[in-house]
Structures are given as structure tokens and as C-alpha cells.
């Protein structure tokens, strides 16, 4: 009788394990916010509640699966009954938790003013270096300090609101292909000026081997905003100074000028 009782308990335990570990059992870890899985958008209050409820539920479920897996090893030896899907199901649960906890990360919910301050501090660090190595060219048109705009819609809106970021203009002609910069480069350069609005301009121009004529479109654009020049660093031939004659008596905001021929 005792033997039959033990056998029945083993069978019931095995059926319980099978039910818990089966990949087709009950919840298949479907996300309550699938639109946020491949996005950096900030979840709403209602979405955060949905995510937290799902995380709590799946945490319990993965705990049950882990416990069942440990117990299932002994059960398989005793009954010979194979339990399929246990490990993949546990891995799926852990991945669900990782992804959804990331959506609730405080970094993803930074207030706009704090995010703006972080972006600004990092973006302005290059001005401390007399030879900034930031690159704006046609092969990589979006680079620091503009790269935060590519993280999410919220980060983009914040970055676009920081007009001084777009006033950091770097032309490194040594890295441009061809004798003249591409139309794509000129288009993006124009866009930077538009997005800077009335912010001060910090200009770094490196063109030690080219003639001013090679960069005429850029020089014309820059000279049209000469009143906003605050920092100007030239690593060019002396002839570039003659090409900038049009800014004479218009540099009312200029506080720093460095030139190396």
C-alpha cells in the first residue's frame, strides 16, 4: 500500500512538472507592450504598470520553472518520464525579465532638463581641446555631439532643442573625399546652421593642403553668420584669411581666435 502511495505521488509530481515546464503550457511570455521592445521611447504610466505586473508574474513563473527543473532531474530517474521544454522555457522567462526591466530603467525616464544637461556637458568638452577631433563628413554625417538625437524620439526632441549643440561646426577637409566636399556634407552643414538658430558658433576648420576655393560654399555660409562667431580655430593656408575678408568689423561676439598656417 505504501509503495502504491509513493508511486502515485511520483506520478502526480511528474505531471505537475510536465505542466509547468511544457513550452505550450499557459503563458508563453507574450509582452504586454510589444511596441516598446525595439524602441527607446519612454513608457507611459499605464504602460509601466502593465510592465511591472508582467515582471512580477514572470518572476514567480521562472522561479517555479527553476524549482521544477531541479525536482525534475530526480523524477526522470525514478519514472523514466522525459520533460521537454524546461530549459528553453526558463531561458525565455529570463530574457523576458531582462528586456522588460530595461524598459523600466531610470535612465529611460530621465527628465528632459537633466538629459539636456548631460548632453550639453559631454558635447562641450571638445572645446577644451585646441585640436578637436570631432568629425563631420559625408561618410559619417551624424556624429557626436549630435548622435544622442538617434537614441529615441524623446532624445531627439531634447537634442534638437539644444541649439548650441548645432553651433559646433567642424570642417576637417583632410577627411573629405574628392577635391570638394559632397553635396550631402554641404546639406548637413546647412542644416546644422539652421538648427543652431541664434546660438553662438564655434568653428574649427582644418584644411592645410586645400585652397579656399575648394570650400567656398562653406565659407559663404559661415560668413553670412559672422556676428555669431564665438570661437574660431583655423589650421589652413594663409590665403584663407584673405578669403574671410568679408567678416571684417562683423565679429562682435568673437572671444577666441587661433590660427596655424
Amino acid at each position: 500500500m505504501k509503495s502504491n502511495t509513493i508511486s502515485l505521488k511520483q506520478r502526480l509530481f511528474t505531471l505537475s512538472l510536465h505542466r509547468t515546464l511544457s513550452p505550450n503550457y499557459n503563458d508563453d511570455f507574450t509582452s504586454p507592450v510589444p511596441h516598446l521592445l525595439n524602441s527607446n521611447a519612454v513608457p507611459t504610466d499605464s504602460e509601466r504598470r502593465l510592465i511591472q505586473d508582467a515582471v512580477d508574474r514572470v518572476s514567480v513563473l521562472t522561479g517555479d520553472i527553476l524549482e521544477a527543473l531541479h525536482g525534475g532531474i530526480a523524477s526522470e530517474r525514478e519514472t523514466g518520464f522525459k520533460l521537454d521544454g524546461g530549459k528553453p522555457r526558463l531561458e525565455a522567462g529570463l530574457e523576458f525579465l531582462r528586456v522588460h526591466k530595461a524598459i523600466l530603467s531610470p535612465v529611460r525616464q530621465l527628465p528632459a532638463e537633466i538629459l539636456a544637461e548631460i548632453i550639453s556637458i559631454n558635447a562641450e568638452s571638445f572645446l577644451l581641446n585646441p585640436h578637436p577631433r570631432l568629425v563631420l563628413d559625408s561618410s559619417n554625417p551624424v556624429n557626436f555631439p549630435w548622435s544622442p538625437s538617434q537614441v529615441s524620439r524623446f532624445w531627439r526632441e531634447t537634442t534638437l532643442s539644444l541649439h548650441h549643440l548645432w553651433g559646433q561646426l567642424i570642417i576637417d577637409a583632410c577627411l573629405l573625399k574628392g577635391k570638394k566636399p559632397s553635396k550631402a556634407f554641404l546639406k548637413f552643414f546647412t542644416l546644422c546652421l539652421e538648427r543652431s538658430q541664434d546660438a553662438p558658433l564655434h568653428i574649427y576648420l582644418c584644411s592645410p593642403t586645400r585652397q579656399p576655393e575648394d570650400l567656398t560654399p562653406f565659407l559663404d555660409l559661415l560668413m553670412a553668420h559672422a556676428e555669431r562667431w564665438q570661437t574660431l580655430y583655423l589650421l589652413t593656408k594663409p590665403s584663407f584669411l584673405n578669403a574671410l575678408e568679408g567678416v571684417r568689423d562683423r565679429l562682435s561676439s568673437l572671444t577666441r581666435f587661433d590660427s596655424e598656417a
Side-chain angles (χ1 to χ4, degrees), residues 203 205-206 232-236 240-241 244 257-261:
I203 303 164
L205 174 58
C206 179
L232 177 63
Y233 179 79
L234 300 179
L235 179 56
T236 62
F240 270 83
L241 293 176
L244 296 174
F257 172 59
D258 294 300
S259 178
E260 294 185 22

Side-chain angles (χ1 to χ4, degrees), residues 3-246:
S3 177
N4 290 337
T5 301
I6 294 175
S7 178
L8 177 60
K9 287 182 177 179
Q10 288 175 338
R11 288 180 179 276
L12 290 174
F13 180 62
T14 301
L15 289 174
S16 175
L17 290 177
H18 179 65
R19 196 177 180 208
T20 302
L21 300 178
S22 171
N24 298 317
Y25 174 68
N26 198 12
D27 196 320
D28 62 352
F29 305 119
T30 300
S31 174
V33 287
H35 58 289
L36 294 178
L37 298 182
N38 296 310
S39 164
N40 284 306
V42 180
T44 64
D45 290 341
S46 60
E47 288 171 337
R48 280 197 288 270
R49 286 192 292 271
L50 284 174
I51 296 168
Q52 188 60 61
D53 289 344
V55 167
D56 293 342
R57 173 179 52 78
V58 174
S59 294
V60 173
L61 183 57
T62 52
D64 291 344
I65 293 172
L66 186 59
E67 183 179 353
L69 278 172
H70 286 309
I73 296 173
S75 179
E76 283 189 3
R77 293 197 195 101
E78 294 171 0
T79 64
F81 187 75
K82 295 296 183 181
L83 299 171
D84 298 324
K87 186 176 180 181
R89 189 158 169 74
L90 177 62
E91 292 174 348
L94 294 176
E95 177 64 13
F96 181 99
L97 293 175
R98 184 191 68 79
V99 170
H100 288 79
K101 285 181 178 180
I103 298 176
L104 296 176
S105 169
V107 175
R108 193 161 177 162
Q109 302 172 52
L110 282 175
E113 58 273 17
I114 294 179
L115 176 61
E117 188 67 17
I118 292 172
I119 294 174
S120 296
I121 291 174
N122 287 326
E124 291 172 357
S125 63
F126 88 96
L127 293 176
L128 301 176
N129 189 331
H131 297 273
R133 301 315 307 159
L134 302 184
V135 177
L136 175 66
D137 62 32
S138 57
S139 63
N140 188 14
V142 180
N143 207 331
F144 186 87
W146 311 281
S147 53
S149 67
Q150 305 300 304
V151 173
S152 69
R153 181 178 298 178
F154 173 59
W155 283 52
R156 178 174 178 79
E157 291 172 352
T158 302
T159 304
L160 290 176
S161 72
L162 301 174
H163 305 308
H164 63 282
L165 294 186
W166 305 92
Q168 300 172 13
L169 305 171
I170 301 160
I171 306 175
D172 195 339
C174 302
L175 300 174
L176 298 176
K177 297 178 180 179
K179 184 177 181 181
K180 295 184 178 181
S182 68
K183 292 182 179 179
F185 181 26
L186 180 59
K187 182 178 180 180
F188 187 70
F189 191 84
T190 303
L191 182 62
C192 287
L193 279 170
E194 292 175 353
R195 290 177 174 174
S196 69
Q197 295 192 11
D198 295 326
L201 299 181
H202 302 277
I203 303 164
Y204 172 76
L205 174 58
C206 179
S207 183
T209 61
R210 295 173 183 259
Q211 297 298 328
E213 293 77 16
D214 296 335
L215 300 176
T216 294
F218 297 97
L219 298 180
D220 290 344
L221 280 171
L222 289 173
M223 287 192 291
H225 299 271
E227 289 78 9
R228 292 201 283 141
W229 292 13
Q230 189 171 89
T231 301
L232 177 63
Y233 179 79
L234 300 179
L235 179 56
T236 62
K237 292 184 175 182
S239 55
F240 270 83
L241 293 176
N242 295 330
L244 296 174
E245 182 67 25

